[in-house]
Amino acid sequence: MHEMEAKSILSARNGMNLYRGCTHGCIYCDSRSTCYQMGHPFEDVAVKRNAPALLEDALRRKRKRCMIGTGSMSDPYLPFEERLQLTRQCLKIIDRYGFGVSILTKSDLILRDIDLLRHINEQSKAVVCTTFTALDEDLCKILEPNVCTTRRRFEMLETMHKAGIHTGIWLAPVLPFLTDTPENLRGLLDYCYAAGVEVIVNFGMGVTLRDGNRQYFYEQLDRHFHGMKSQYIRKYGNRYENLSPNAPQLRAILQRACRTHGIVCGGDAALAWLMEFEDQQAGCQLDLFS
């Protein structure tokens, strides 16, 4: 871990990453791709120490309130967040200015901040998402070795749902020959129903591999799954998008489940729902004068 001074904190689409790099060790992580020009070892996470000040300045300047998204490139609840509390500081600022927040994390450390998330949700909208890949706990520990397992992430979502906070999942990636079975998908969907999931982000039943990401993924396949790397190379070569042979069947299961349970599902539609701002205070004011 090392500290850095960031020049800005919000993207054009109001996304924010407080850390750069990750220690989760997920074998498929796209953020390892060389196109992101990390400039330092991936596990030597850069901490944007001035992030809270930058965020406050950015929110103060905004003419309209909106959703602030975080977690797309680096988890906002990496282990040293417990000590640094950058994410908690930023949530306090988001709460104070009346903005909403959409968080993606694989860590149950987010439960520490349930008080802030509940209050944000009372005045606007707070959404907590996690990634589901493998129902099998032993497989999960190989694919995502330094983070809590799928079962614990489900329990975290369930707690958030009971607190009245919106919940969702990223069903990504779906790893061909590893997690692309109907049984795995149905088990993960059962978790979704129990946790009151309202949105499932999925861009396809497969995994994307780019330079940097691909090499690390193949190294881990060689380490943990004998012969799997050769199977990938024979099937996909150097493709960016690697769809599961079971993709049509899995897609049908997911679409049917989402229709039945009223879950927003897909790529663009799901992302739009995550970033759709809701002003609860304005709603109360309208009710008062209706």
Side-chain angles (χ1 to χ4, degrees):
M1 183 194 81
H2 64 281
E3 294 187 343
M4 63 171 287
E5 288 282 326
K7 295 181 179 179
S8 61
I9 198 62
L10 288 184
S11 71
R13 296 186 177 182
N14 298 308
M16 140 181 109
N17 286 289
L18 309 178
Y19 302 105
R20 188 163 169 79
C22 190
T23 58
H24 287 346
C26 303
I27 73 170
Y28 52 76
C29 182
D30 177 71
S31 295
R32 290 182 181 274
S33 301
T34 56
C35 64
Y36 297 121
Q37 301 177 326
M38 190 68 66
H40 56 83
F42 190 68
E43 286 79 9
D44 179 19
V45 176
V47 177
K48 300 178 183 179
R49 59 189 173 193
N50 60 332
L54 289 173
L55 179 64
E56 181 150 22
D57 183 63
L59 298 191
R60 187 188 298 117
R61 293 169 182 270
K62 282 191 175 292
R63 295 182 178 180
K64 293 179 63 176
R65 288 178 293 161
C66 62
M67 296 292 289
I68 306 298
T70 187
S72 61
M73 288 291 293
S74 183
D75 197 313
Y77 288 96
L78 294 175
F80 31 77
E81 164 62 23
E82 186 170 9
R83 173 174 58 86
L84 299 177
Q85 298 200 18
L86 280 185
T87 300
R88 184 167 179 85
Q89 292 178 57
C90 288
L91 287 177
K92 287 181 178 179
I93 294 166
I94 289 169
D95 186 25
R96 184 162 66 248
Y97 283 86
F99 283 68
V101 67
S102 177
I103 300 176
L104 174 62
T105 181
K106 292 177 182 171
S107 174
D108 58 356
L109 178 57
I110 193 174
L111 292 171
R112 177 200 66 186
D113 296 336
I114 196 169
D115 58 329
L116 289 171
L117 294 168
R118 185 188 292 115
H119 193 261
I120 290 170
N121 200 56
E122 288 173 355
Q123 61 181 350
S124 55
K125 178 180 175 183
V127 189
V128 173
C129 293
T130 194
T131 302
F132 280 175
T133 52
L135 184 66
D136 181 272
E137 295 285 276
D138 291 332
L139 179 57
C140 179
K141 290 173 184 177
I142 295 172
L143 302 178
E144 302 153 341
N146 304 323
V147 69
C148 57
T149 63
T150 303
R151 174 71 192 183
R152 180 58 183 151
R153 282 177 245 166
F154 153 67
E155 293 170 349
M156 177 270 289
L157 287 184
E158 189 178 39
T159 300
M160 291 291 177
H161 174 62
K162 289 178 180 177
I165 296 163
H166 301 286
T167 59
I169 72 157
W170 287 61
L171 186 66
V174 177
L175 297 173
F177 318 123
L178 287 170
T179 65
D180 61 339
T181 66
E183 294 76 17
N184 182 66
L185 177 56
R186 289 191 177 103
L188 296 177
L189 288 171
D190 285 342
Y191 274 159
C192 291
Y193 311 148
V197 161
E198 297 173 61
V199 62
I200 295 177
V201 181
N202 175 259
F203 289 99
M205 296 297 175
V207 60
T208 57
L209 296 174
R210 293 190 260 211
D211 186 56
N213 172 22
R214 180 184 292 105
Q215 289 86 336
Y216 185 82
F217 180 62
Y218 282 171
E219 286 174 9
Q220 299 308 309
L221 290 184
D222 267 346
R223 180 182 176 189
H224 297 288
F225 308 99
H226 180 70
M228 186 70 69
K229 173 183 173 181
S230 298
Q231 192 172 0
Y232 265 78
I233 292 173
R234 286 195 303 271
K235 175 72 175 176
Y236 302 112
N238 287 323
R239 294 181 196 169
Y240 167 66
E241 188 174 14
N242 304 276
L243 289 177
S244 163
N246 302 327
Q249 181 184 9
L250 298 176
R251 193 179 303 115
I253 292 171
L254 178 61
Q255 291 174 347
R256 184 164 56 249
C258 289
R259 284 196 302 269
T260 300
H261 293 269
I263 299 172
V264 178
C265 183
D268 293 341
L271 291 179
W273 186 91
L274 287 175
M275 298 303 287
E276 182 181 4
F277 181 71
E278 297 177 8
D279 191 342
Q280 304 296 346
Q281 294 176 330
C284 291
Q285 190 174 21
L286 287 173
D287 290 342
L288 180 65
F289 293 101
S290 60

